[in-house]
Amino acid sequence: MQIFPRSLNYLPLVAALGVAVLGGGVTTGIWYYFSPKNTQVGYAPEQPIHYSHKLHAGELGMDCRYCHANIERSQEAMIPPTQACMGCHAVVKKDSPKLAALRDSWKTGKPVEWVRVHRVADYVFFDHSVHLAAGVGCVSCHGRIDQMDVVRQDQPLNMVWCLECHRNPNPNLRPKDQITNMTWKPSAEEATQLAEVKLRGPQHCSGCHR
Amino acid sequence: MSEQATSKRPVVYLAEYDSPDAIIHAAEGVRDAGYEKWDVHSPYPVHGMDAAMGLPDSGLGWIVLLCGLTGVTAAVVMIQWMNGIDYPLVIGGKPPDAIPSMVPIMFELTVLLSAFGAVFGMLGLNALPRHHHPVFYSDRFEAFSHDKFFISIEVEDKKFDKEKTKQLLESLHSTHVELVEEEVA
Amino acid sequence: MSADSPIAEIGETPLVPAHVTAAFVSDEVSRVTEQKAPVGWWMVFGVALMFLGVLLVSVGYLVWNGIGSWGNNSPAAWAWDITNFVWWIGIGHAGTLISAVLFLFRQKWRTSVNRFAEAMTIFAVICALLYPTIHVGRIWFLYWALPIPNQMGMWPNFKSPLLWDVFAVSTYFTVSLLFWFVGLIPDFATLRDRAKNVVRKKVYGALALGWRGSNRHWRHYERAYLILAALSTPLVLSVHSVVSFDFATSVMPGWHTTIFPPYFVAGAVFSGFAMVSTLMIICRQVYGLKDIMTMKHLELMNKIMLVTGSLVGYAYSMEFFIAWYSGNEYERYVFINRATGPYAWAYWTMVTCNVVSPQLFWWKRLRTSIPVMFAVSILINIGMWFERFVIIVTTLHRDYLPSSWGMFHPTLVDIGCYTGSLGLFFTLFSLFIRWLPMIAMFEVKAALPGAQPSHHAAHDEHAEPAHGALAVKEA
Amino acid sequence: MSTAGNKQETSSGKRLFWRSLEQKADPQAQHEEAKASDVVKQTISHDELFTLRRRNFLGLSGAMAALVGVEGCVRRPVENIMPYADMPEYINPGVPLHYATATQRNGEALGLVVTTFEGRPTKIEGNPDHPTSLGATDLLAQAGILELYDPERSHAPTHKGVAASFADFDAFVATKLAELQKNGGSGLRVLAQPTNSPTFVRMRAALLAKLPQARVHTYAPVSQSQVLESTRIAFGQPTSVLHDFSQAKVVVALDSDFMMTEPGSVRSARQFASARDMESASGTMNRLYAVEPLFSVTGSNADHRLRLPAQDIARYARALAAELISAHGVQLGAIAPAVQGVATDGIPEHWLKAVASDLAANTGRSLVVAGARQPAAVHALVHALNRALGNAGKTVTYGEALDPTEADNFASIAALASDMAAGKVDTLVILGGNPAHDAPADLHFGDALAKVGTSIHVSSHDEETAALTTWHLPRAHELETWGDLQASTGHYTVQQPMLAPLWGGRSDIEVLGQLAGEPAWRGHDLVQATVTGRGINGELAWRQLLHKGVAEQTFARVLGALEVRDGEVAGALRKLTDAPALSASNLEVVFAADAKMFDGRYANSTWLLELPDPQTRITWDNAALIGPSTAKELGLKSGDMVRLSKDGASVDIVTWVQPGQAPNSIGLTLGWGRKKAGSNGNGHGFDVYPLRTTAAPHFTAGVAVQKLGVTYPLSQVQEHDSMEGRPLAIDATLSEYKEKPNFPEFKSPDPQFAPLWKMQDYSKGNQWGMNVDLNTCNGCNACVIACQAENNVPVVGKEQVARGRSMHWFRIDRYYVGDNEDTPEVAFQPVGCQHCEEAPCENVCPVAATSHSPEGLNDIAYNRCIGTRYCMNNCPYKVRRFNFLNFNQDIPETLQMQKNPNVTVRFRGVVEKCTYCVQRIQKAKSTAKQEGRHWLRDGEVVSACQQVCPTQAITFGDINNPKSVVSTKRRTDRNYALLAEVGARPRTRFLGKIRNPNPEMKS
């Protein structure tokens, strides 16, 4: 007695194809959508004060270290205290409604609650000062901040991404005096010099995890 | 029942046998009669039937060998690349690309892929799963998995002839010969 | 190898009585799956389900609360978890051994046992796999042990015996499963063709993959079966060797021993056969399959247990000798501590169950007495569990620095996780008994007297490897 | 940690820091302190993020990893960064600041340097410039940081048990003072603890000047009263006694635990160790004889130890004196007759002959010390002996005592109690201390309190006494307030606050100043007044004082070698009556300050509770220590509950059979079994104060023992005492060492075999290694707590310790050596991760969570660990710890503030272990790289255990640098690897212990 229809004989073929297509799809899907490149890069939350790096760092050409002052001496890039902003805005644009939050903070002594953009996992102990000392420029990790009206995450900041540079930092190295320069391009001989550098970032666990 | 039905087209002759001896003689008969698209159905593998049907040896071994080689290569490449090249870490003071510690996994992957080769190769060569097949039209055929033996000759065989083939099968002491037909679509 | 001892007497007397024919075989075996389940089955199944519940609760609590729910500690970072793992894996060895090794050795008597044993293997391995999975502290990251590309750029450490385990055990599970299923295909066909109601027909039909007993299929089928057997034989040996590497490659006195791989394999076969005969004895009583699982089968298995049991006993004594002979004080202490320390009771339980009890099988009367062999098989199962407990806990609880010595005390969750796994095993097994042919019908048929053409033994050498495997030498 | 760092920026840290800085800058700021503390409250409470962040790093990260998918759609949870509004000038977010201060310890000052992150103190270290600290600290000082953040400290004043405010109190004081001034302060009593704070002394004087009728009493359960009394007898004036162990070749310690519980233990331990250092120029070695009832840490380090009941010590002292006179013609003048003909039963002969000759042979280079427990007469005799042996002025000097009132310790509180009972006390001010709990039982101080009109209790916790007093004021922690301390060496330190009091609170001097009617009674003002009073003038001098943590000039008048008044001493000695001999029916109990709880004031510190006792290795409890033979006689086993009773008073306590305990003498340590210490301390251990009386506060005979027939579970971290003859803590006698300097190598030789594989190359760059000198390690356990504080090591609790799940990264194994369990020798062996170059743990990790750094560190990445625990099994040293449960769950906010921001807080299910303080290495590297260096200098990285060690037994550094200290240590003969035969090539190595027995002492 014939239990199954003839068409069922195509089952193996169909199944094989299905598995191939589906499996492939899922894999590539996860590969792309779940990677920090997709989940992290481009994160640009709204800030309590519409502070434009484009304006300050770009057009006004302020040096990064004017606000992030401690960055060469500390693991943390400090977010400037209200005080620092008031340094100028006590005179410049002192009544601008955009700066209301800033003035409140200055009056009340309550901090401005900025939203964190660049974040590495809690168990990663990233040290700004060391990277600057090694000659890695701001732009390598933070992108063209000077062109960002709203700060946006530019790089995935995940382990593989870190390792790429730790394994071969040379493309990201530059003279110490060019660290905050967003547009720096190595001249021919600078390029050759930098190519010489034997520097390597740590690739063992305790280099970043403690 | 399929006999009575209208607008049928014959697909296969089924000849039934009771004993392994009978079926093996019959098989030799059919073989010598020069049929090609025919088969023997038995509840268990009958000893010497391949010879009786004049079948060549199974080529499955080669498929398995290929898969096995793939397995061992995959293991070596994977381990060497992951631990030795992509992210070499100092583990217990040993060289990252140490060979001895690779052996167990090399072996396991060889066996795993060989096994896949054996099973799926077998199914492939047998064109299984094939849930629909003309022989299943016959109700008597169900006994093949119990204790009966069958010879099936398909109409597609170029020597197939409704009469001659029937005679041949009967001449081979079949206990029952049946022309299985299927409805024409 | 243990299995070739009975060869001589096999040809002499037929394993099954004369009235057993092909038809008889399919009727007898299929009957079990076609009739209503007997009370005995329901009892076993019910109890098993209950313990399965215990397992779920215990594991749930463990994962929620942390490994601290077990009694594990420092120094005994491993205890019942790995003990159970090794125990189950060991049990899981008989199946493949019977179906593969005995197959290669042309032991036709295996045919009535192998299906059964393979099923047991698969369920035992499932239970075994449970423990490495739940024993890790952060189960949600378990997949890090697999070579999957990830955003950390990290790979597993292929130097770790634990990783070898991952590959060995999963390979073993997969291959056993394939082996088992391949063996089932023709029998599914039988069930399909016998089925009266359409659901059964469709289900078994689907599983049978449209099997039609074609000789063109048998040809590849048997070759595949042979190859699988040939692959499984080294595999089955490798798996427990790799498991033993977990210990043998460490630096712990009592673990760091070259004798471990063969010793573990022997132990595995030993416990596996014990479990098989326990189950067989139950089933043949419950379903009255005495004509197919004959006393001869049981006796042969008892002989194998006698051999492997003695092997294990030899290993125990050899461990002591080597420890003494090595002159290494740490090594020596571990073994003295095993036999006389706070866990001496466990050690002597092990020796009594594993070495002493099988010696009863020297006497034919005892080796052919159902109650005796049942009792002994149970004892062996217990003894082998204690063997693993002794190896793991007594080594760890007192190693190099006396300052770090300690004791291990199991908790309720420990007990739940162990008894629960028995629940899982018997649930699966009773389902198997109920719905699948517990005996490889087509193999038994092929091996029956007169099942093969009389005059053909002579002129088919070319097909010998394939057919010969299942063929019978006429007396 | 960068993220965490930002979090703390937002935390209380910011505000607090600013305030403390401001206080430094501007004295007036003090007046806003109360307000400040309110600000503190807000800033802490509104900082949930910090909480969340701090609770379970790995937990979050786990979730993070699990939820990437979700994140893909909804991005990630918003996380805020809150910078300073107005940033203090010195601060550099993420970079810690260090402040010098000091802490009071048992009448001695201990100089400290405190690490603060954005104003959040996280770690206490010793002040290298301070003579009593010399850069090291003890375990109590280490635990101080936890005490600071103890969420159960009093949060607000209470009046009759009802919450009140400081304003209420000030109002009350104002009115009270008014009426007190009418009657000259009669009826006003102040009960204070012995002090060495000049400001306190000044305020006390001021108070008495203002209210002549008032009286100030001094009491502490553990005090130096008998020492002061003895100096009064011997010299006619109370003086401080200052030992110099570095100069002493022969030391006889009479019931004195000078390395652990006696004042100035850190300094003493360092000096003692320095005189034992084999590699020093002299290469000679001191010898220590200890005669004691309990097995003290000092006794464990003795070359010869005689276990003698406390009551017989006096006998021994006199017999020894007699021997010195008769055999060696030592001149003791009028004292001689008073020491003649003392019964010497129980005292082996050689313990008199050999010891005496050893002392006599080293006149001027020997030292006899007695413990605070021993009667004044014994101390007086000791002064006389040191004088006669020519040690006075050399190994022991005397100085002007800052607080002589301590001499009357027990008499003083007895007087107060009787007056209270008699209703003569109208107002009682209790500054610190917990008399209702720890005053001698026969005074029934608690009941007497009921008869006091108004009682004011100033203390850190709402403890036993607080419940019985009218007023209770939170007492500010030493790191929260201004104060000053004068060390017995005369060095002067100003205590500066690291942060405003977390919950408000006042210091003793403030309350005292208030009562004395000081207009500017704030600590800052009072201290500055004292400082100027001491001739330190001007802002610069003040700042230097704060910066250096110790004044240039010393203040206590050094009296050098004083004349001993033989007559008085003899008189005192005659008063000593020989108690009847002890027996199983006439037992003695000895009260000892606990190594961890001291007198009970640290009872709520989880770190200390879980720290194993150096000797018994018991955690979370104390026990009645009974010698093996005595225990056998009484039919007692460890864990049996017994009732000790004398004169109606009784104590139920668990017994512990303690090898080395004197026969028929039971050791009881104080400070346990608190009823109202706080949720951690309550009900742990057994309170033995009920047996303590004014008549016999230190030891008393005639105690009956009754077995209660029940047992009590004790949690030990080490259950096995014997080395089983294995070469672990390897030792030798001085003579053995002389003939075979590399003796350890014979017992634990480094395996010499050709490598089977290409070995890693560790010849370049910094290669970290550690050396532990078993010869100087005295087993004080300070390193264990230091490591806990530095590395955020969790506390697991008694039950988990019993299960064998203690988490200490660094432990001190204690082994007993010798066959006679009544008189064993002790071998201490500190063990942390050995950082093996061929680490067995690394091979077995399936996920490569632990691997090797190019600098030879055995790294572990917690966030990679999946917790198979295989590495723990395969570690021969069993140093790896596993988070069996989530031990960091729900840590109170303030305790989270203690966590080191540069160390991950581990989640359950991961393995952890000593990292050689890799965070400190990385910090140093960061600095070096900023300076363009790629090679760290020796001493640039100091591990926490090394830094705390009073005896400098631990050295850490670059073994690739031939000049580094650690390399030189490694080159010494005594250097060996633990379990070298395993072939793991550990980076931590040990230096064999050397004992210096006296050949004449054939016991």
Side-chain angles (χ1 to χ4, degrees), chain A residues 39-40 74 116-117 122 210, chain D residues 1 6 75-76 79 93 904:
Chain A
T39 56
Q40 303 297 320
S74 168
R116 170 177 286 278
V117 179
D122 299 322
R210 294 158 214 166
Chain D
M1 126 124 29
N6 281 341
R75 287 295 178 194
R76 57 175 190 236
E79 182 181 305
T904 307

Side-chain angles (χ1 to χ4, degrees), chain D residues 743-992:
Chain D
F743 63 93
E745 213 179 286
F746 288 85
K747 292 181 175 159
S748 178
D750 285 317
Q752 304 299 338
F753 52 75
L756 294 170
W757 52 83
K758 188 172 159 298
M759 305 280 249
Q760 287 299 321
D761 175 19
Y762 290 120
S763 62
K764 290 172 201 59
N766 297 105
Q767 293 299 334
W768 305 111
M770 182 180 279
N771 265 51
V772 182
D773 190 342
L774 299 180
N775 198 32
T776 48
C777 169
N778 65 14
C780 72
N781 275 269
C783 44
V784 180
I785 295 281
C787 175
Q788 187 156 29
E790 170 73 17
N791 292 303
N792 303 338
V793 174
V795 170
V796 301
K798 179 181 175 181
E799 191 256 356
Q800 292 297 317
V801 172
R803 280 196 170 284
R805 294 168 182 175
S806 148
M807 294 296 285
H808 291 138
W809 283 7
F810 202 71
R811 60 171 199 259
I812 298 190
D813 294 344
R814 190 266 297 116
Y815 297 109
Y816 287 135
V817 189
D819 315 329
N820 183 344
E821 62 175 358
D822 273 314
T823 58
E825 279 184 321
V826 173
F828 290 112
Q829 183 165 46
V831 180
C833 175
Q834 308 285 302
H835 290 267
C836 314
E837 287 183 359
E838 315 233 316
C841 52
E842 292 173 0
N843 299 323
V844 299
C845 177
V847 294
T850 183
S851 65
H852 238 64
S853 89
E855 302 189 337
L857 294 180
N858 173 245
D859 288 348
I860 176 161
Y862 311 116
N863 41 299
R864 175 70 179 173
C865 177
I866 62 173
T868 65
R869 305 185 300 291
Y870 198 173
C871 54
M872 299 171 71
N873 292 340
N874 212 25
C875 173
Y877 308 94
K878 288 285 168 284
V879 294
R880 290 183 157 253
R881 303 298 186 212
F882 182 67
N883 290 269
F884 280 95
L885 301 166
N886 189 356
F887 297 127
N888 284 311
Q889 212 163 21
D890 312 323
I891 314 172
E893 258 164 352
T894 50
L895 291 186
Q896 292 165 31
M897 289 170 66
Q898 182 279 325
K899 300 289 183 199
N900 181 345
N902 286 320
V903 176
T904 307
V905 172
R906 283 78 59 184
F907 185 50
R908 86 160 148 92
V910 307
V911 170
E912 58 186 74
K913 63 157 190 79
C914 157
T915 62
Y916 271 174
C917 287
V918 65
Q919 67 278 10
R920 292 187 175 200
I921 296 175
Q922 296 294 0
K923 194 87 207 153
K925 274 194 186 162
S926 168
T927 328
K929 284 182 181 157
Q930 288 168 36
E931 297 165 5
R933 286 182 291 127
H934 286 281
W935 181 290
L936 298 185
R937 303 193 195 87
D938 188 33
E940 212 168 342
V941 183
V942 180
S943 73
C945 49
Q946 171 188 22
Q947 189 162 14
V948 74
C949 184
T951 64
Q952 295 182 304
I954 299 174
T955 45
F956 174 79
D958 181 2
I959 59 173
N960 238 12
N961 168 1
K963 283 182 234 47
S964 69
V965 185
V966 70
S967 312
T968 45
K969 286 271 186 189
R970 279 169 120 73
R971 283 195 293 271
T972 60
D973 300 322
R974 296 186 291 129
N975 168 53
Y976 74 97
L978 180 57
L979 297 177
E981 70 159 81
V982 177
R985 306 164 57 86
R987 276 288 177 91
T988 300
R989 299 188 63 100
F990 294 85
L991 296 183

Side-chain angles (χ1 to χ4, degrees), chain C residues 76-387:
Chain C
W78 283 352
W80 279 28
D81 43 5
I82 303 302
T83 305
N84 299 340
F85 164 64
V86 182
W87 188 66
W88 277 120
I89 277 286
I91 289 173
H93 274 51
T96 322
L97 191 98
I98 291 172
S99 33
V101 181
L102 298 193
F103 179 83
L104 294 184
F105 280 108
R106 312 272 196 274
Q107 299 297 299
K108 71 174 178 183
W109 61 273
R110 65 180 268 290
T111 51
S112 18
V113 192
N114 66 334
R115 166 73 37 76
F116 201 79
E118 286 164 31
M120 185 206 68
T121 291
I122 286 153
F123 304 145
V125 175
I126 289 175
C127 294
L129 279 167
L130 175 71
Y131 292 98
T133 312
I134 60 172
H135 98 291
V136 300
R138 299 199 294 165
I139 193 168
W140 49 94
F141 286 137
L142 193 62
Y143 69 95
W144 283 352
L146 304 174
I148 302 170
N150 55 70
Q151 60 88 29
M152 295 174 289
M154 287 289 292
W155 300 112
N157 167 24
F158 287 94
K159 288 190 178 62
S160 166
L162 222 47
L163 203 67
W164 307 344
D165 260 2
V166 172
F167 280 81
V169 177
S170 49
T171 302
Y172 184 54
F173 178 67
T174 322
V175 174
S176 313
L177 197 61
L178 290 173
F179 203 5
W180 189 54
F181 179 74
V182 168
L184 273 165
I185 294 175
D187 287 358
F188 279 137
T190 310
L191 291 178
R192 173 196 63 197
D193 297 341
R194 294 171 55 92
K196 297 287 164 285
N197 78 56
V198 68
V199 180
R200 271 182 77 94
K201 245 193 177 356
K202 284 210 186 289
V203 173
Y204 287 118
L207 289 168
L209 307 179
W211 184 261
R212 50 186 194 278
S214 150
N215 190 65
R216 295 176 187 275
H217 290 176
W218 280 122
R219 180 169 56 128
H220 300 302
Y221 179 93
E222 287 183 274
R223 177 57 53 89
Y225 204 88
L226 176 68
I227 291 171
L228 281 177
L231 289 170
S232 312
T233 307
L235 179 62
V236 80
L237 300 185
S238 83
V239 174
H240 227 55
S241 302
V242 169
V243 169
S244 77
F245 289 165
D246 286 346
F247 309 103
T249 63
S250 80
V251 300
M252 288 294 108
W255 281 9
H256 185 72
T257 326
T258 46
I259 196 180
F260 263 27
Y263 160 29
F264 268 53
V265 172
V269 176
F270 186 44
S271 58
F273 270 78
M275 185 58 99
V276 174
S277 58
T278 314
L279 299 171
M280 263 175 69
I281 293 165
I282 300 174
C283 291
R284 78 195 276 279
Q285 300 303 50
V286 175
Y287 291 104
L289 292 166
K290 300 192 175 54
D291 289 341
I292 299 173
M293 300 180 187
T294 61
M295 178 56 74
K296 192 161 203 73
H297 290 110
L298 296 171
E299 188 182 353
L300 287 169
M301 301 205 7
N302 293 342
K303 286 180 177 172
I304 292 180
M305 279 185 243
L306 174 55
V307 174
T308 47
S310 311
L311 280 174
V312 170
Y314 171 76
Y316 295 162
S317 50
M318 197 39 67
E319 276 189 316
F320 267 81
F321 170 74
I322 294 297
W324 167 77
Y325 192 66
S326 72
N328 178 314
E329 60 183 313
Y330 305 104
E331 193 74 23
R332 283 179 177 182
Y333 180 82
V334 164
F335 284 94
I336 293 165
N337 182 49
R338 275 186 191 175
T340 64
Y343 286 114
W345 58 272
Y347 180 81
W348 292 112
T349 318
M350 163 186 105
V351 173
T352 327
C353 297
N354 294 353
V355 187
V356 180
S357 69
Q359 302 307 321
L360 297 177
F361 291 151
W362 284 110
W363 291 276
K364 191 174 180 69
R365 261 190 57 256
L366 299 176
R367 132 174 123 233
T368 52
S369 136
I370 294 291
V372 171
M373 67 175 81
F374 189 70
V376 170
S377 66
I378 297 284
L379 280 180
I380 292 172
N381 286 319
I382 296 169
M384 287 309 291
W385 188 90
F386 272 102
E387 177 189 304

